[in-house]
Amino acid sequence: RLNICSRSEAVRYVKLGLVEVNGKTVQNAASLVPLSAQVRLKERGQRMQREKITVALNKPLHYAACRAPTGTPLARALLVPENRALTCRTKHDPRKLSNLWATDALDVLTDGLLLFSQDGRITTRITRSKDVEKEYRILLPGGASSGQLAALRATLEAEAAATPSTSDRGPPSFDLTNNPEDFDVDADEAAGEEAATLHCEDLGEFLGSEDGSEPQGLLMKVVVRGPLPDTRLRRACQLAGLPGAMLTRTRIGPIELGRLPVGQWSVVKTAELIE
């Protein structure tokens, strides 16, 4: 709750004798302390937290973020020096970093930004916080009719209602529009409360990539704030009669995919994401 470290990290620091409560070193991680207690991580523990690394990977299609079924490669296998982006200024070797785990799941059929971090706070923020935005680009090959877009709205609302809430304010809500001007209106302000939301913007016709890997179609941008995985977005497209939707995650909070090449990784700063 103090945002000093994650719960599992706190247990480890206690075992190492690096946690103080009201000026005294704690020996038992299960000790009960009053809410008014002053909890402090000793300097060595603070240094260990500062030195934790977070890596951004442009995950290709058909790679699993974690828990891969037999025959499916893990995205973690791409974190080797040979795949370090030219723009990465550090010389870390992810293979030698302990406790470097994927911060959330990204389906094998979704490519784009995937974070790996040693910092448990990053994982907690990305998987549980209703404030962290996740941005996706959805390419609809062949475009979509107004009826299909209307069906997509209804399906997204149904997916939101079926998504477990991480707060007492109810499940995620949606604002789906094809008007770029409307996209700038935050549903939180309209509702007068902090709620999980999803915004969708029509980016216009896509003429296809130069190498032919991406076909022509309607390009949309979707911003999710709340506990809605990319598999729900894909299912919403399928139920709306858009089974060929191609999803790419382009942003997690302040961290953007940018021009990071597919299959390459780079060390990123996460101070804004933790705060």
Side-chain angles (χ1 to χ4, degrees), residues 117-230:
S117 184
Q118 293 179 301
D119 193 335
R121 294 173 297 176
I122 301 296
T123 299
T124 300
R125 283 279 293 167
I126 291 176
T127 58
R128 300 182 183 179
S129 175
K130 60 183 179 297
D131 302 320
V132 176
E133 292 184 344
K134 298 178 184 178
E135 183 176 305
Y136 297 87
R137 188 190 70 171
I138 300 181
L139 175 62
L140 303 175
S145 66
S146 57
Q148 287 174 316
L149 291 178
L152 182 58
R153 173 195 290 272
T155 307
L156 287 172
E157 291 175 349
E159 291 290 345
T163 301
S165 174
T166 57
S167 71
D168 57 1
R169 296 184 183 274
S173 59
F174 295 91
D175 181 19
L176 179 62
T177 176
N178 292 327
N179 187 342
E181 296 180 357
D182 293 342
F183 182 78
D184 293 330
V185 178
D186 195 329
D188 294 350
E189 298 178 358
E193 64 175 3
E194 186 179 9
T197 59
L198 181 147
H199 298 289
C200 185
E201 179 182 0
D202 183 356
L203 298 180
E205 295 296 324
F206 181 62
L207 299 180
S209 58
E210 294 181 358
D211 60 3
S213 60
E214 293 181 310
Q216 297 184 18
L218 177 65
L219 193 61
M220 307 185 75
K221 181 177 75 173
V222 177
V223 179
V224 178
R225 186 188 299 133
L228 193 78
D230 60 299

Side-chain angles (χ1 to χ4, degrees):
R1 292 181 179 179
L2 298 177
N3 201 32
I4 297 175
C5 60
S6 68
R7 183 174 300 180
S8 60
E9 290 167 338
V11 172
R12 183 188 177 206
Y13 289 141
V14 168
K15 292 180 178 179
L16 293 174
L18 299 178
V19 177
E20 290 182 351
V21 176
N22 293 333
K24 295 182 179 180
T25 301
V26 178
Q27 303 294 337
N28 184 0
S31 301
L32 297 177
V33 297
L35 293 177
S36 59
Q38 297 295 318
V39 181
R40 176 180 174 272
L41 190 60
K42 294 183 180 180
E43 181 57 36
R44 180 188 168 199
Q46 294 180 32
R47 184 172 63 253
M48 292 169 66
Q49 275 297 118
R50 289 194 299 268
E51 292 176 350
K52 290 179 185 266
I53 299 299
T54 298
V55 173
L57 170 71
N58 188 346
K59 185 187 84 68
L61 289 172
H62 310 303
Y63 277 79
C66 55
R67 300 177 184 176
T70 303
T72 301
L74 278 171
R76 182 73 170 78
L78 296 172
L79 302 183
V80 295
E82 294 80 5
N83 292 333
R84 181 189 292 113
L86 295 177
T87 55
C88 183
R89 303 189 177 205
T90 65
K91 299 301 180 182
H92 291 96
D93 186 346
R95 298 173 302 178
K96 300 179 180 179
L97 299 177
S98 61
N99 298 316
L100 184 68
W101 306 109
T103 58
D104 70 334
L106 194 63
D107 189 63
V108 294
L109 296 179
T110 302
D111 60 358
L113 182 60
L114 178 63
L115 298 182
F116 292 81
S117 184
Q118 293 179 301
D119 193 335
R121 294 173 297 176
I122 301 296
T123 299
T124 300
R125 283 279 293 167
I126 291 176
T127 58
R128 300 182 183 179
S129 175
K130 60 183 179 297
D131 302 320
V132 176
E133 292 184 344
K134 298 178 184 178
E135 183 176 305
Y136 297 87
R137 188 190 70 171
I138 300 181
L139 175 62
L140 303 175
S145 66
S146 57
Q148 287 174 316
L149 291 178
L152 182 58
R153 173 195 290 272
T155 307
L156 287 172
E157 291 175 349
E159 291 290 345
T163 301
S165 174
T166 57
S167 71
D168 57 1
R169 296 184 183 274
S173 59
F174 295 91
D175 181 19
L176 179 62
T177 176
N178 292 327
N179 187 342
E181 296 180 357
D182 293 342
F183 182 78
D184 293 330
V185 178
D186 195 329
D188 294 350
E189 298 178 358
E193 64 175 3
E194 186 179 9
T197 59
L198 181 147
H199 298 289
C200 185
E201 179 182 0
D202 183 356
L203 298 180
E205 295 296 324
F206 181 62
L207 299 180
S209 58
E210 294 181 358
D211 60 3
S213 60
E214 293 181 310
Q216 297 184 18
L218 177 65
L219 193 61
M220 307 185 75
K221 181 177 75 173
V222 177
V223 179
V224 178
R225 186 188 299 133
L228 193 78
D230 60 299
T231 51
R232 292 290 186 91
L233 296 179
R234 187 181 306 282
R235 184 167 69 175
C237 292
Q238 292 173 343
L239 294 176
L242 302 166
M246 303 170 66
L247 275 67
T248 299
R249 184 158 67 183
T250 57
R251 179 171 63 86
I252 300 176
I255 302 175
E256 297 184 355
L257 180 64
R259 297 186 177 181
L260 183 65
V262 175
Q264 294 190 16
W265 60 268
S266 179
V267 174
V268 295
K269 297 180 179 180
T270 56
E272 294 182 41
L273 191 56
I274 296 175
E275 294 175 356

